[in-house]
Amino acid sequence: MQGFLFYLLAFLGVLLMFISVINMWIIDTKNKKSKEKKSKSKYIKLLIVGGIVFILSRILHGQLL
């Protein structure tokens, strides 16, 4: 059961990173088409949080370090 929770945390971390990368890509394509530039800082923070969650779940599960 404990292993399942760590795998679930790792999956959520990867999902957060995937969603933030897709959103940053969408913002880049919209910024190229318009003169008004949108900020990507919220998605960069989400990417960092997803990476931290993923790394912590791997460390706590014992598969990293």
Side-chain angles (χ1 to χ4, degrees):
M1 183 66 184
Q2 189 178 15
F4 175 73
L5 291 176
F6 290 129
Y7 285 126
L8 184 64
L9 276 175
F11 174 74
L12 290 177
V14 170
L15 186 66
L16 282 174
M17 290 189 291
F18 180 73
I19 289 171
S20 63
V21 167
I22 294 296
N23 284 330
M24 286 190 295
W25 178 68
I26 290 171
I27 288 174
D28 277 343
T29 57
K30 286 183 180 180
N31 282 345
K32 288 180 184 176
K33 293 179 183 177
S34 68
K35 293 179 182 177
E36 185 178 326
K37 302 293 181 185
K38 290 190 175 184
S39 176
K40 297 185 286 185
S41 64
K42 178 173 69 172
Y43 297 110
I44 291 173
K45 290 175 187 174
L46 189 65
L47 181 70
I48 292 170
V49 168
I52 290 171
V53 168
F54 177 75
I55 291 171
L56 280 178
S57 68
R58 296 290 91 200
I59 289 173
L60 292 174
H61 193 252
Q63 293 184 351
L64 194 65
L65 295 179

